[in-house]
């Protein structure tokens, strides 16, 4: 059979009996049966995946029809005018998300986005958890990342529900929702000791090799509204109202916790509160973390809390979603209270944090007398990423138009070489968030693609199609420059340059003994957590040029790992003012290594290399 030529061909499976390729057709495609010219009076039948006939007609020309009916295996038959089957064909009908826009480029952008999501999903975890005999599946082990990834993957994946069920089944009695699951034996048994205060850690399958750690980052206050959003978007994608209804009480308890618990709720402002982080991320300012048990941790007695607008616009959105679900589940009498809470949150937030210049202020402290050292940063003038998210959270058309204009202003003002106006926060903090959020990096002024996506979506919702299209085209340009992969964050000010210097590369290929990709012997990292996406060839990191072998080979040093060396001797030669090493580690041991520098005159110098000082692990710097 052949297809209408305007539709792209799909790669499909093959018939195990004949070995022939199976034709995969999409709904509404036009198929032509390979029967050539048929006698007058020939009859065409097409039966769909549920055994229902949806084509039954006498042909007056070539045997063509438009695909319809139920998905799955379908069958087309031709019967001659005097009886007898002239031909029969089977094919599969599958509904696949695609954009076919010719040369416009948006179909290619969708393919890049899909590939990026697939390569990222499960990349920092197993993707599955077996707890009490039940198998849970999730895109990313963090609830927030799972929820945001679900917004795109719901168009491609057939498994959505158990990602929400994992956090519903483990919800704390008071309504708190955990936000991360990891194998207990994982090298990132991260912050367990500091999270135990306040009951923010729980062990699943305790005492077994298949045990897991559940964690809630104490400072975070987005988890409960994201839980409700995850439930809503899963319900919208699956249409399974009975399933959704079974989880409504979980959602109601989550909202109640976030709007009552002293860790989460400001009785002074009547709004959700948190410690001083960069927008919705969990990195505390160093002046705050010095007063508690460290980064990511808040303390009811020592933390100076404040209002971050994104927590509240997100909860307002979640409350309206919850009202819609309650009505759909036959509990409409409970919906007005949710809608009233949403309206109250937005009204209080507007009075407290809406800036007349067209954005929500980043953070409004409950105690203005507590001063943090942020260098010369004008905190009142900072525009943080949740402003882009607010465009799609029902804050009103007037504020949406003002926020869009604010981002246009940032585009006019931003550093000339910046990849875009999609900053995590602009301008960035001059002090207080190093080392993993240095100036113009990651959450401190990095250019973030998730901000770009929400900004484009908001522009389209407000009828500003030209701006939305412009953003998407620039995102495609970023993907093209990185082999079709759309990285989450880019340097916010790449034109910042060091003084002129001359570099002489040192060829280490002769002693390279490991590969960038995971292998049982002689490879970096662990399954799903390696350096397989390391750029190769001529690369530049922190303004220092390096030459990375085409296969990413490097020098691996370890005390007790097969394929690695315990020590290596590398001659350098010549006179140099400095030496730069491009290095990392797979496990946060301290000290991780020793570096002995031997000079021509016989003098030596020994350096002890430790995480957080000379280098960090590649997966989560600073953790």
């Amino acid at each position: 059979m052949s297809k209408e030529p305007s539709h792209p061909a799909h790669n499909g499976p093959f018939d195990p009996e004949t070995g022939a390729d199976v034709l995969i057709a999409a709904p509404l495609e036009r198929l032509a049966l390979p029967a050539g010219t048929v006698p007058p009076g020939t009859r065409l039948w097409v039966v769909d995946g549920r055994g229902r006939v949806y084509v039954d007609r006498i042909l007056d020309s070539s045997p063509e029809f438009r695909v319809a009916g139920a998905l799955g295996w379908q069958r087309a038959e031709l019967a001659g005018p005097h009886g007898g089957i002239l031909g029969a064909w089977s094919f599969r009908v599958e509904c696949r998300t695609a954009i076919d826009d010719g040369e416009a480029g948006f179909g290619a952008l969708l393919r890049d986005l899909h590939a990026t999501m697939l390569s990222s999903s499960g990349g920092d975890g197993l993707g599955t958890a077996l707890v009490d005999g039940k198998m849970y599946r999730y895109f990313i082990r963090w609830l927030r990342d799972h929820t945001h990834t679900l917004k795109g993957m719901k168009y491609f994946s057939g498994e959505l529900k158990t990602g929400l069920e994992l956090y519903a089944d483990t919800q704390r009695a008071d309504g708190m929702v955990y936000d991360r699951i990891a194998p207990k034996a994982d090298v990132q048994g991260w912050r367990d000791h500091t999270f135990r205060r306040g009951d923010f850690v729980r062990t699943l399958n305790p005492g077994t090799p298949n045990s897991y750690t559940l964690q809630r980052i104490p400072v975070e206050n987005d988890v409960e509204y994201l839980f409700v959003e995850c439930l809503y978007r899963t319900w919208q994608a699956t249409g399974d109202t009975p399933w959704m209804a079974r989880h409504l009480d979980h959602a109601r308890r989550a909202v109640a916790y976030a709007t009552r618990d002293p860790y989460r709720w400001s009785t002074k402002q009547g709004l959700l509160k948190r410690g001083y982080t960069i927008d919705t991320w969990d990195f505390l300012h160093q002046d705050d973390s010095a007063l508690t048990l460290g980064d990511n941790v808040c303390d009811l007695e020592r933390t100076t809390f404040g209002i971050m607008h994104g927590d509240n616009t997100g909860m307002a959105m979640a409350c309206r979603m919850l009202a819609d679900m309650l009505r759909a589940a036959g509990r409409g009498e409970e919906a007005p209270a949710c809608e009233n809470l949403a309206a109250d949150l937005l009204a209080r937030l507007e009075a407290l944090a809406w800036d007349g210049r067209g954005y929500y202020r980043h953070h409004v402290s409950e105690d203005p007398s507590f001063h943090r050292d942020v260098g010369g940063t004008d905190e009142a003038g900072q525009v943080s990423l949740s402003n882009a998210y607010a465009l799609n959270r029902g804050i009103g058309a007037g504020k949406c138009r003002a926020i869009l204009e604010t981002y246009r202003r940032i585009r006019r003002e931003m550093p000339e070489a910046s990849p875009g106006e999609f900053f995590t926060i602009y301008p960035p903090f001059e002090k207080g968030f190093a080392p993993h959020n240095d100036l113009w990096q990651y959450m401190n002024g990095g250019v973030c693609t998730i901000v770009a996506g929400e900004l484009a979506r908001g522009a389209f919702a407000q009828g500003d199609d030209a701006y939305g299209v412009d953003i998407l085209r620039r995102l495609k340009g970023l993907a093209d420059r990185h082999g079709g992969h759309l990285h989450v964050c880019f340097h916010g000010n790449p034109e910042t340059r060091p003084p002129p210097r001359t570099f002489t590369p040192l060829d280490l290929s002769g002693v390279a003994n490991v590969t960038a990709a995971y292998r049982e012997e002689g490879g970096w990292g662990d399954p799903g957590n390696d350096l397989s996406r390391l750029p190769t060839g001529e690369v530049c990191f922190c303004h220092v040029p390096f030459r990375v072998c085409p296969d990413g080979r490097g020098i691996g040093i370890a005390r007790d790992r097969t394929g690695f060396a315990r020590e290596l001797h590398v001659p350098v030669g010549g006179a140099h003012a400095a030496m730069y090493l491009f290095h990392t580690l797979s496990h946060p041991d301290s000290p991780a290594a020793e570096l002995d520098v031997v000079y021509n005159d016989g003098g030596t110098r020994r350096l002890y290399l430790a995480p957080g000082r000379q280098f960090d692990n590649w997966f989560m710097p600073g953790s």
Side-chain angles (χ1 to χ4, degrees):
M1 289 184 283
S2 61
K3 296 184 179 184
E4 191 175 64
S6 62
H7 288 270
H10 296 299
N11 293 322
F14 64 91
D15 188 325
E17 294 184 2
T18 66
D21 289 339
V22 171
L23 178 68
I24 305 297
L28 303 182
E29 284 191 276
R30 183 172 292 280
L31 296 185
L33 300 176
T37 303
V38 296
T42 297
R43 192 165 198 157
L44 168 65
W45 285 278
V46 184
V47 182
D48 72 5
R50 294 184 179 177
R52 298 174 300 191
V53 177
Y54 69 88
V55 176
D56 182 359
R57 71 170 187 268
I58 301 299
L59 299 176
D60 54 7
S61 59
S62 61
E64 293 184 356
F65 65 97
R66 192 170 292 279
V67 176
L71 303 178
W73 283 102
Q74 296 197 5
R75 184 172 179 83
E77 294 184 357
L78 290 176
H82 305 294
I85 300 299
L86 301 180
W89 298 266
S90 295
F91 57 97
R92 279 192 64 81
V93 177
E94 296 181 1
C95 189
R96 298 184 179 185
T97 300
I99 296 176
D100 179 16
D101 59 354
E103 300 300 320
F106 295 107
L109 175 59
L110 178 64
R111 291 191 291 273
D112 288 344
L113 292 172
H114 186 202
T116 297
M117 288 189 292
L118 287 175
S119 66
S120 300
S121 296
D124 69 340
L126 301 176
T128 61
L130 180 63
V131 181
D132 294 334
K134 180 174 179 177
M135 182 66 74
Y136 298 93
R137 298 180 63 188
Y138 44 82
F139 296 119
I140 308 289
R141 65 172 58 163
W142 299 85
L143 172 60
R144 64 178 53 80
D145 297 64
H146 171 83
T147 300
H148 292 309
T149 304
L150 180 146
K151 296 176 186 178
M153 286 301 294
K154 66 184 180 183
Y155 297 105
F156 302 97
S157 176
E159 172 53 54
L160 303 178
K161 296 176 184 177
T162 58
L164 181 282
E165 291 171 1
L166 170 62
Y167 294 96
D169 293 347
T170 57
Q171 185 177 26
R172 212 166 66 176
D174 63 355
M176 191 202 78
V177 179
Y178 292 96
D179 67 344
R180 178 181 186 264
I181 186 171
K184 190 72 174 175
D186 194 326
V187 295
Q188 295 184 62
W190 176 69
R191 305 276 195 253
D192 275 9
H193 60 293
T194 57
F195 289 2
R196 292 198 180 281
R197 183 176 180 179
D199 192 25
F200 297 121
V201 179
R202 176 182 171 187
T203 300
L204 303 178
N205 302 338
T208 72
N210 190 36
S211 63
Y212 297 89
T213 293
L214 275 174
Q215 294 173 318
R216 167 63 177 268
I217 301 179
V219 76
E220 293 283 27
N221 204 1
D222 59 353
V223 183
E224 281 69 37
Y225 84 69
L226 285 166
F227 176 86
V228 178
E229 182 180 4
C230 184
L231 175 61
Y232 178 84
R233 297 197 185 281
T234 303
W235 168 55
Q236 292 283 289
T238 63
D240 193 338
T241 299
W243 173 87
M244 173 272 289
R246 292 196 297 272
H247 295 92
L248 281 176
D249 288 336
H250 293 284
R252 298 223 56 181
R253 289 198 298 272
V255 172
Y257 166 80
T259 54
R260 295 175 188 170
D261 189 88
Y263 273 103
R264 313 297 171 206
W265 184 248
S266 170
T267 55
K268 177 180 179 180
Q269 303 293 355
L271 292 163
L272 278 71
K273 68 180 183 181
R274 65 163 59 207
Y276 197 90
T277 63
I278 301 180
D279 200 275
T280 192
W281 251 254
D282 58 324
F283 306 113
L284 272 172
H285 188 279
Q286 63 188 20
D287 291 349
D288 295 80
S289 62
L291 299 175
T292 65
L293 294 173
D295 203 3
N296 321 109
V297 181
C298 57
D299 184 284
L300 292 178
E301 297 178 357
R302 290 173 286 184
T303 296
T304 300
F305 289 93
I307 308 304
M308 197 285 288
H309 59 98
D311 294 332
N312 291 278
T313 58
M315 181 56 75
M317 170 194 68
C319 287
R320 290 191 297 270
M321 290 177 171
L322 181 53
D324 289 346
M325 290 188 286
L326 287 166
R327 288 193 174 95
R331 296 169 59 173
E333 70 281 359
E334 302 172 56
C338 299
E339 292 166 330
N340 292 338
L341 175 56
D344 289 346
L345 289 172
L346 291 182
R348 295 188 195 112
L349 184 66
E350 178 178 358
L352 181 71
W354 179 254
D355 190 281
R357 291 170 284 185
Y359 53 88
Y360 288 107
R361 283 189 59 185
H362 168 235
H363 186 100
V364 181
S365 181
E366 286 194 310
D367 180 7
S369 67
F370 182 80
H371 294 286
R372 302 168 179 88
D373 185 3
V374 296
T377 304
D378 174 19
E379 296 172 83
Q382 289 180 298
V383 180
S384 67
L385 66 94
S386 283
N387 279 283
Y389 277 83
L391 293 169
N392 307 299
R393 291 176 172 176
I395 63 171
K399 290 187 184 63
C400 288
R401 288 192 293 269
I403 290 173
L404 289 170
E405 184 53 41
T406 293
Y407 277 96
R408 283 196 174 89
R409 170 181 62 79
I410 292 173
R411 186 178 183 184
R412 294 191 297 268
E413 297 175 356
M414 70 187 186
E416 183 177 351
S418 174
E421 66 273 24
F422 329 122
F423 293 95
T424 50
I425 193 165
Y426 180 89
F429 288 95
E430 293 184 7
K431 292 182 68 176
F433 288 98
H436 39 274
N437 289 287
D438 284 328
L439 197 65
W440 302 110
Q441 299 286 346
Y442 196 35
M443 289 299 113
N444 190 25
V447 172
C448 199
T449 50
I450 62 173
V451 181
E454 291 293 329
L455 191 59
R457 182 178 166 214
F460 286 124
Q462 295 303 314
D464 195 346
D465 294 356
Y467 189 34
V469 167
D470 173 62
I471 293 170
L472 294 182
R473 291 195 187 282
R474 285 186 281 152
L475 286 177
K476 183 66 174 79
L478 289 173
D480 288 344
R481 289 198 290 275
H482 294 84
H485 185 87
L486 199 60
H487 293 284
V488 67
C489 206
F490 297 85
H491 194 300
N493 186 12
E495 66 182 356
T496 302
R497 302 190 185 282
R501 294 173 293 177
T502 300
F503 292 95
T504 302
L506 178 63
D507 186 2
L508 301 178
S509 60
V511 290
N513 57 350
V514 296
T515 64
Y518 167 76
R519 295 190 320 191
E520 289 292 339
E521 297 183 2
W524 286 109
D526 306 300
N529 178 16
D530 59 18
L531 292 175
S532 56
R533 291 210 299 254
L534 176 70
T536 60
E538 301 287 339
V539 296
C540 187
F541 299 111
C542 298
H543 307 292
V544 177
F546 294 92
R547 293 176 183 171
V548 180
C549 293
D551 60 357
R553 286 184 299 119
I555 299 173
I557 299 176
R559 289 185 297 269
D560 53 3
R561 184 163 179 175
T562 304
F564 287 58
R566 287 183 60 88
E567 63 179 40
L568 282 171
H569 301 268
V570 180
V572 177
H576 305 281
M579 180 171 62
Y580 295 88
L581 300 178
F582 173 38
H583 56 180
T584 184
L585 76 165
S586 59
H587 300 283
D589 297 327
S590 184
E594 297 174 0
L595 176 65
D596 289 335
V597 181
V598 182
Y599 297 92
N600 287 337
D601 62 3
T604 63
R605 184 181 180 187
R606 171 166 292 182
L607 300 176
Y608 294 98
L609 309 182
R613 304 185 72 177
Q614 288 81 14
F615 56 93
D616 271 309
N617 72 86
W618 65 80
F619 180 75
M620 190 175 293
S623 66

